[in-house]
Amino acid sequence: MCRWAAYRGEPLYLEELVTSPKHSLIEQSHCAVRAKTATNGDGFGIAWYGDRPEPGRYRDILPAWSDCNLKSIARQIRSPLFLAHVRAATGGGTRRDNCHPFVFGRWSFMHNGQIGDFEHLRRPMETMLDNELYSARSGTTDSELLFLLALQFGLDRDPLGAVAEALAFVERLAERLGRPALVRFTAAFSDGRDLYAVRYATDWKAPTLYAGPMGSSGGYCLVSEPLNDDDSAWVEVPDGSAIIVGENGVDVRLFGTADVAMAPASRLFSG
Amino acid sequence: MCRWAAYRGEPLYLEELVTSPKHSLIEQSHCAVRAKTATNGDGFGIAWYGDRPEPGRYRDILPAWSDCNLKSIARQIRSPLFLAHVRAATGGGTRRDNCHPFVFGRWSFMHNGQIGDFEHLRRPMETMLDNELYSARSGTTDSELLFLLALQFGLDRDPLGAVAEALAFVERLAERLGRPALVRFTAAFSDGRDLYAVRYATDWKAPTLYAGPMGSSGGYCLVSEPLNDDDSAWVEVPDGSAIIVGENGVDVRLFGTADVAMAPASRLFSG
Amino acid sequence: MCRWAAYRGEPLYLEELVTSPKHSLIEQSHCAVRAKTATNGDGFGIAWYGDRPEPGRYRDILPAWSDCNLKSIARQIRSPLFLAHVRAATGGGTRRDNCHPFVFGRWSFMHNGQIGDFEHLRRPMETMLDNELYSARSGTTDSELLFLLALQFGLDRDPLGAVAEALAFVERLAERLGRPALVRFTAAFSDGRDLYAVRYATDWKAPTLYAGPMGSSGGYCLVSEPLNDDDSAWVEVPDGSAIIVGENGVDVRLFGTADVAMAPASRLFSG
Amino acid sequence: MCRWAAYRGEPLYLEELVTSPKHSLIEQSHCAVRAKTATNGDGFGIAWYGDRPEPGRYRDILPAWSDCNLKSIARQIRSPLFLAHVRAATGGGTRRDNCHPFVFGRWSFMHNGQIGDFEHLRRPMETMLDNELYSARSGTTDSELLFLLALQFGLDRDPLGAVAEALAFVERLAERLGRPALVRFTAAFSDGRDLYAVRYATDWKAPTLYAGPMGSSGGYCLVSEPLNDDDSAWVEVPDGSAIIVGENGVDVRLFGTADVAMAPASRLFSG
């Protein structure tokens, strides 16, 4: 089980969420007090938005808690919008290309969860990608592929719709192949302007997602698990929801794949 | 808390103790079922004896469970005498030079435990080393330094005596500096002929040490924790003991620092 | 430009070809005296055959000359058949999965050269792979993909024929896509019994390939460039040749793609 | 031979000096057109000053040209004062702790050159350090040790004087030990306010040092070798010089060790 934290608000030093001694993502990962799987030592990554339209990114395969570069970078960089992820590999080897967040153009994306039977779905999923996105695939995880599928299905145009479509595609693909459709998906993503998160699973067992205000001027933090013991500071986002943190605050919506039209998937399925 | 396993007997593929799917050192580290500290993701190492007098060694800072090289090497190499270690850093950064086993000439050494107040003892400990051993220091751990001190105090001549002297030196050094002497030391080491292990602590809280027969022809395995759930296969070696696995089987002795003469330490303390 | 060396003969310590101070592959790479491109710092790998049918493998992304693990492993392991490669990245990021030799089952493969316009040919090349081989793809290099294509086309059944077919497929694919077909390919590969090498290019500018006897009992070494200054010890294998080192010595043959039948490629081209 | 570049002036994206496609430090290192030693693949590092008194730092042991993290970080971070270094190991293994720049408090330091006979001088040099600086030593290079000695001798109080004293100490130490004193030292260092560089050697063969204006508002760049082919843009700083880039522009001074008083060294030598 991976862990992640994302922030949108007044510029904040990354270290406050990522590496500070108490209650940060890294500390939590090292101690892993609440998690079912104890270790998160399969790499980490951060993506932050600064002066450029595209995010900066730093990721490595060391355990996050032993990386001095991360500590120094997180202490120097202040950003109004960033994502941080600590990985527990469920599939895909331990290598930089498999570490979240994934980045494409101005988009960043990170994920906790899994696609059941991914080894059988991988190839037809990759077949759906246009050449540009196919070439952009550099790792072997289901997470990166879901991100590329969402880009394929219009992440730029309709972020939540495109993600729903990518998930719906996977579900239907599994059914077509006569396999049970299992998707668990708790993800955060951003275009540098708004911060999105989705909690969704076909079996209503999506990994947890919490939201909490941060700072004095309307900032928000989204996390896979509360970063400290003050549970009252965090609100659990229910399964089947999407959350958008934008200029005007937080917006929570229902999220599902039931109503997704078959348009793009039909390319593959119509054959 | 680190974990380790050592073997002496008929040539055995390293994978049987190190990387095999069930009940190996790596699997145990990843799951960490019995350990107080959950994670052992701060690097690993193996040292094995083959055709050469000095051991071969492979170590890296990745979590052991995600290293494909380790899996392949452990599957190919068969050795009558080897040491394997998985690290949970208590001090000293995560880098190859801090990964066990340490090697010097034909000696290999690995350790689970700690020296209390090491940051204050480190420099006078290093001062004791002859130039050759001082130059050989490449990391920053207390473990490597204990190994070098044991070499300094005659590991070649009297292995267990030299280790006792190194530990006694640390205890007396702490006392001289007006600090409580705390040493916890469960270590294995070898010269390529015999396999030694020591379990000792100033506070009688040394990390555990177990021994068990392995294979059909008199092989023995020493481990920091049992490698499988069949507890009857393993005998706990009590605190204050040393164990020697040699050509003629296993020999267990009392081990302590009380009777260590002050000869070498006096070099430092006589000032 | 990569460099490589391969050996078949009496068991030899890997270090004699790979890491010894003078005239080894590593030393040559560091100094790069003859090479057009000066640096070979983008990773390295070794594959050797021992007791198992499949080879052992060790590869990493450090410059080969600074890897202590490599030095130790090459000093311990003795093998009658091994491949060693030092990489200068022409495409595909610097990561372990892109380091040669590539291994599948009992086969190992390494390559110096390139496919022109690979970014446009990659996807249709991957499309040709059966599901098992498609899943085995873990990196992004043209070299790994040529290896998988050769496996697809029957490397097990007819090693040189399958490689010729893989190259012919790439040439015809480029033509179909209206692009100039450029393949430069100097590769070595083995099934653990025989050692094969091919030097071939569509423009007759294949990277060099040399062969030389090694040791006193009929061993042979194949190298991308002579390992020492005694040029008389090495015979250049001409462009358009294949060489087989087997139980009965060395066999050199003409090698080309002109006569390759269209059978497997037709699967793709017939549409 | 290492390469480095340092900048002080209007905030500049690091990529302009470090990773941009043409004429940057990285490109130069990869191609190594003018250097005597061809390769600089033994790691790299950057230190930059931002909002904090102490610099941020990122370093790794990969060849600089293949590190995606470096590319992304250098593209995002803009700084008025930064140091960048590409390493060719002359001594000290390839590991992060041996990569420049070294950092202590608000000071950063990087170096090209060497101390002759360092293996014999190392221990007495380390002996000179106060406990705090002794504990701060984490690598094994002569460069880091020169930096710590300069800190010991008052880098905070009198930067150029302290560096001269550190070098003088090494020279006299070599003489005391009956060895020829050889120091070649082309270094840059900063406290976050001013940028200093020194070119000095006992045999007048110090590695080169160039200075050139950069940008439109009085920025300056100091480099070990010109970053582009427009030689007219760079002025060579002569051997035996120090250069200070501060708020009021550039100041060049004579630099030597002849006039350094023996005060601190006498601590060691008086015995």
Side-chain angles (χ1 to χ4, degrees):
Chain A
M1 211 173 71
C2 304
R3 284 149 199 280
W4 56 253
Y7 172 80
R8 189 191 186 285
E10 288 299 298
L12 192 74
Y13 284 109
L14 271 56
E15 71 170 0
E16 295 192 36
L17 286 183
V18 177
T19 55
S20 68
K22 283 195 181 178
H23 305 315
S24 69
L25 183 64
I26 301 306
E27 179 59 17
Q28 192 193 57
S29 301
H30 201 180
C31 295
V33 279
R34 295 166 185 239
K36 288 171 207 157
T37 48
T39 48
N40 295 73
D42 295 307
F44 65 87
I46 50 176
W48 71 94
Y49 292 89
D51 299 343
R52 310 272 193 181
E54 84 273 13
R57 179 174 55 178
Y58 174 59
R59 52 183 184 171
D60 210 345
I61 54 176
L62 293 178
W65 56 83
S66 48
D67 190 81
C68 290
N69 287 327
L70 176 63
K71 202 175 288 178
S72 185
I73 291 168
R75 189 164 158 71
Q76 294 289 333
I77 293 176
R78 199 155 47 165
S79 165
L81 180 45
F82 60 88
L83 286 69
H85 188 273
V86 180
R87 187 166 180 246
T90 52
T94 297
R95 62 188 220 205
R96 278 196 191 168
D97 294 281
N98 283 343
C99 291
H100 310 223
F102 301 99
V103 166
F104 187 87
R106 62 200 170 92
W107 283 95
S108 56
F109 173 94
M110 63 185 176
H111 172 233
N112 181 23
Q114 64 187 108
I115 295 177
D117 230 0
F118 176 59
E119 63 274 25
H120 290 104
L121 305 182
R122 180 185 162 189
R123 188 169 192 170
M125 286 172 71
E126 291 180 351
T127 303
M128 281 302 290
L129 299 174
D130 284 347
N131 284 338
E132 187 194 4
L133 293 168
Y134 186 88
S135 300
R137 177 127 163 94
S138 67
T140 56
T141 61
D142 51 0
S143 305
E144 184 196 27
L145 192 45
L146 280 171
F147 175 44
L148 294 175
L149 274 179
L151 285 160
Q152 178 74 43
F153 293 159
L155 195 63
D156 258 329
R157 205 178 50 241
D158 172 11
L160 292 174
V163 167
E165 212 167 296
L167 296 173
F169 172 76
V170 173
E171 293 174 25
R172 287 162 194 172
L173 180 62
E175 284 159 18
R176 290 269 172 153
L177 297 174
R179 299 174 177 281
L182 172 67
V183 175
R184 290 182 189 150
F185 182 85
T186 299
F189 43 101
S190 177
D191 57 1
R193 208 189 52 183
D194 297 318
L195 171 62
Y196 302 85
V198 164
R199 182 184 183 189
Y200 169 79
T202 49
D203 61 355
W204 298 95
K205 291 182 179 164
T208 54
L209 172 62
Y210 293 83
M214 176 145 286
S216 54
S217 34
Y220 264 88
C221 187
L222 307 177
V223 292
S224 58
E225 297 172 52
L227 287 180
N228 53 43
D229 299 332
D230 179 10
D231 284 352
S232 67
W234 299 94
V235 175
E236 184 167 357
V237 179
D239 215 330
S241 311
I243 183 164
I244 307 171
V245 187
E247 221 172 345
N248 301 316
V250 178
D251 184 17
V252 182
R253 304 183 190 171
L254 290 180
F255 180 93
T257 60
D259 304 327
V260 174
M262 285 290 288
S266 62
R267 250 198 284 171
L268 190 73
F269 296 149
S270 62
Chain B
M1 211 172 70
C2 304
R3 284 148 199 281
W4 56 254
Y7 172 81
R8 190 191 184 285
E10 289 298 300
L12 192 73
Y13 283 110
L14 272 58
E15 71 170 359
E16 295 193 35
L17 286 184
V18 177
T19 54
S20 68
K22 281 197 182 177
H23 305 315
S24 71
L25 183 65
I26 301 307
E27 178 59 17
Q28 192 193 58
S29 301
H30 201 180
C31 294
V33 279
R34 294 167 187 238
K36 289 171 206 157
T37 48
T39 48
N40 295 72
D42 294 308
F44 65 86
I46 50 175
W48 71 94
Y49 292 89
D51 299 343
R52 311 269 194 183
E54 83 272 14
R57 180 174 55 180
Y58 174 60
R59 50 183 185 173
D60 209 344
I61 53 176
L62 293 179
W65 56 82
S66 48
D67 191 82
C68 290
N69 287 328
L70 177 63
K71 201 174 289 176
S72 184
I73 290 168
R75 188 164 160 72
Q76 293 290 334
I77 293 176
R78 198 154 47 163
S79 165
L81 180 45
F82 61 86
L83 286 69
H85 188 274
V86 180
R87 188 168 179 243
T90 53
T94 298
R95 61 190 219 203
R96 279 196 191 169
D97 293 282
N98 284 342
C99 291
H100 309 223
F102 301 100
V103 166
F104 187 86
R106 63 200 169 94
W107 283 96
S108 56
F109 173 94
M110 64 184 176
H111 172 232
N112 181 23
Q114 64 187 108
I115 296 178
D117 231 359
F118 176 60
E119 63 277 23
H120 291 104
L121 305 182
R122 177 184 163 190
R123 188 170 193 170
M125 287 171 70
E126 291 180 351
T127 302
M128 281 301 290
L129 299 174
D130 284 346
N131 283 338
E132 187 195 3
L133 293 168
Y134 186 87
S135 299
R137 176 122 162 98
S138 66
T140 56
T141 60
D142 51 1
S143 304
E144 183 196 27
L145 194 45
L146 281 171
F147 174 45
L148 294 174
L149 274 179
L151 285 160
Q152 178 74 43
F153 292 159
L155 195 63
D156 258 329
R157 207 176 50 241
D158 173 10
L160 292 173
V163 167
E165 212 168 292
L167 296 172
F169 172 76
V170 173
E171 292 173 25
R172 286 161 194 171
L173 180 62
E175 284 158 17
R176 291 270 171 151
L177 298 174
R179 298 174 178 281
L182 172 66
V183 176
R184 291 181 189 150
F185 181 85
T186 300
F189 44 101
S190 178
D191 57 1
R193 208 189 53 183
D194 298 319
L195 171 63
Y196 302 84
V198 164
R199 182 182 182 190
Y200 169 80
T202 49
D203 62 354
W204 299 95
K205 292 183 178 162
T208 53
L209 172 62
Y210 294 84
M214 177 145 284
S216 54
S217 36
Y220 264 88
C221 187
L222 306 177
V223 292
S224 58
E225 297 172 54
L227 286 180
N228 52 44
D229 298 332
D230 178 10
D231 284 353
S232 67
W234 300 96
V235 175
E236 185 167 358
V237 178
D239 215 331
S241 310
I243 183 164
I244 308 172
V245 187
E247 221 172 344
N248 301 314
V250 178
D251 184 17
V252 182
R253 305 182 190 175
L254 290 180
F255 180 94
T257 61
D259 303 326
V260 174
M262 284 291 286
S266 63
R267 249 198 284 171
L268 189 74
F269 296 148
S270 62
Chain C
M1 212 171 72
C2 304
R3 284 149 199 280
W4 56 253
Y7 172 80
R8 189 190 187 285
E10 289 298 299
L12 191 74
Y13 283 110
L14 272 55
E15 72 170 358
E16 295 193 36
L17 285 184
V18 177
T19 55
S20 68
K22 282 197 179 175
H23 306 314
S24 71
L25 183 65
I26 301 307
E27 178 60 17
Q28 192 194 59
S29 301
H30 200 180
C31 295
V33 279
R34 294 168 187 239
K36 289 173 206 154
T37 49
T39 48
N40 294 73
D42 295 307
F44 65 87
I46 50 175
W48 71 93
Y49 292 90
D51 299 344
R52 311 270 194 184
E54 83 273 14
R57 181 174 54 178
Y58 173 60
R59 50 182 186 172
D60 209 345
I61 54 176
L62 293 179
W65 57 83
S66 47
D67 191 82
C68 290
N69 287 327
L70 176 63
K71 201 174 289 179
S72 184
I73 290 168
R75 189 165 158 71
Q76 294 289 333
I77 293 176
R78 200 155 46 164
S79 165
L81 181 43
F82 60 87
L83 286 69
H85 188 274
V86 180
R87 188 168 179 244
T90 52
T94 297
R95 62 190 220 203
R96 279 196 191 169
D97 293 282
N98 284 343
C99 291
H100 310 222
F102 300 100
V103 167
F104 187 87
R106 61 198 171 94
W107 283 97
S108 56
F109 173 94
M110 64 185 175
H111 172 232
N112 182 22
Q114 65 187 106
I115 295 177
D117 230 1
F118 176 59
E119 64 277 23
H120 291 104
L121 305 183
R122 178 185 163 190
R123 189 170 193 170
M125 286 171 72
E126 291 180 352
T127 303
M128 281 302 290
L129 300 174
D130 284 347
N131 282 338
E132 187 195 4
L133 293 168
Y134 186 87
S135 299
R137 176 122 163 99
S138 68
T140 56
T141 61
D142 51 1
S143 305
E144 184 196 27
L145 193 44
L146 280 172
F147 175 45
L148 294 175
L149 274 180
L151 285 160
Q152 179 74 42
F153 292 159
L155 195 63
D156 258 329
R157 207 178 49 242
D158 172 11
L160 292 174
V163 167
E165 213 167 296
L167 296 173
F169 173 75
V170 173
E171 292 174 26
R172 286 162 194 173
L173 180 62
E175 283 159 18
R176 292 268 171 156
L177 297 174
R179 297 174 179 280
L182 173 66
V183 175
R184 292 183 188 149
F185 180 85
T186 300
F189 43 101
S190 178
D191 57 1
R193 207 189 53 181
D194 298 317
L195 171 61
Y196 302 85
V198 164
R199 183 183 181 189
Y200 169 80
T202 49
D203 61 355
W204 298 97
K205 292 182 179 163
T208 54
L209 171 62
Y210 294 83
M214 177 146 284
S216 54
S217 34
Y220 264 88
C221 187
L222 306 178
V223 291
S224 58
E225 297 173 52
L227 286 180
N228 51 43
D229 299 333
D230 179 10
D231 284 352
S232 68
W234 300 95
V235 175
E236 185 167 358
V237 178
D239 215 331
S241 311
I243 183 165
I244 307 171
V245 188
E247 222 172 342
N248 301 316
V250 178
D251 184 17
V252 182
R253 303 184 192 173
L254 290 180
F255 180 93
T257 61
D259 304 327
V260 174
M262 286 292 288
S266 61
R267 248 198 285 170
L268 190 74
F269 295 147
S270 62
Chain D
M1 211 172 70
C2 304
R3 285 147 198 282
W4 56 253
Y7 172 81
R8 188 191 188 284
E10 289 299 300
L12 191 73
Y13 284 109
L14 272 56
E15 71 170 0
E16 296 193 35
L17 286 184
V18 176
T19 54
S20 68
K22 284 199 181 177
H23 306 316
S24 71
L25 183 64
I26 300 308
E27 178 60 16
Q28 193 193 57
S29 301
H30 201 179
C31 295
V33 278
R34 295 168 185 237
K36 288 173 207 155
T37 49
T39 48
N40 294 72
D42 295 307
F44 65 88
I46 50 176
W48 72 95
Y49 292 89
D51 299 343
R52 311 271 193 182
E54 84 273 13
R57 180 174 54 177
Y58 174 60
R59 50 182 185 173
D60 210 343
I61 54 176
L62 292 179
W65 57 83
S66 47
D67 191 81
C68 289
N69 287 327
L70 176 63
K71 202 175 289 180
S72 184
I73 290 168
R75 188 165 159 73
Q76 293 289 333
I77 292 176
R78 199 154 47 166
S79 165
L81 182 44
F82 60 87
L83 285 69
H85 189 274
V86 180
R87 188 168 179 244
T90 53
T94 297
R95 61 190 222 202
R96 280 196 191 169
D97 292 281
N98 284 343
C99 291
H100 309 223
F102 301 99
V103 166
F104 187 87
R106 61 198 171 94
W107 283 96
S108 55
F109 174 94
M110 64 184 175
H111 172 232
N112 181 23
Q114 65 188 105
I115 296 177
D117 230 0
F118 176 60
E119 64 275 24
H120 291 104
L121 306 181
R122 178 184 163 190
R123 188 169 192 170
M125 287 171 71
E126 291 181 351
T127 303
M128 282 301 290
L129 300 174
D130 284 346
N131 283 338
E132 187 194 6
L133 292 168
Y134 186 87
S135 299
R137 175 118 162 101
S138 67
T140 56
T141 60
D142 52 1
S143 304
E144 183 195 28
L145 193 45
L146 281 171
F147 175 45
L148 294 174
L149 274 180
L151 286 160
Q152 178 75 41
F153 291 160
L155 194 63
D156 258 329
R157 207 177 51 241
D158 173 10
L160 291 174
V163 167
E165 213 169 293
L167 296 173
F169 172 76
V170 173
E171 293 174 24
R172 285 159 195 173
L173 179 63
E175 283 158 18
R176 292 268 171 153
L177 297 174
R179 297 175 179 280
L182 172 66
V183 176
R184 292 182 189 149
F185 181 85
T186 300
F189 43 101
S190 178
D191 57 1
R193 207 189 53 183
D194 297 318
L195 171 63
Y196 302 85
V198 164
R199 182 183 182 190
Y200 169 80
T202 50
D203 61 355
W204 299 96
K205 291 183 180 165
T208 54
L209 172 61
Y210 293 83
M214 177 147 283
S216 54
S217 35
Y220 264 88
C221 187
L222 306 177
V223 292
S224 58
E225 297 172 53
L227 287 180
N228 52 42
D229 299 332
D230 179 11
D231 284 352
S232 67
W234 300 94
V235 175
E236 185 168 359
V237 179
D239 215 331
S241 310
I243 184 165
I244 308 171
V245 187
E247 220 172 345
N248 301 315
V250 178
D251 185 17
V252 182
R253 302 183 192 174
L254 289 180
F255 179 93
T257 61
D259 304 327
V260 173
M262 285 292 288
S266 63
R267 247 198 286 171
L268 189 74
F269 297 147
S270 62

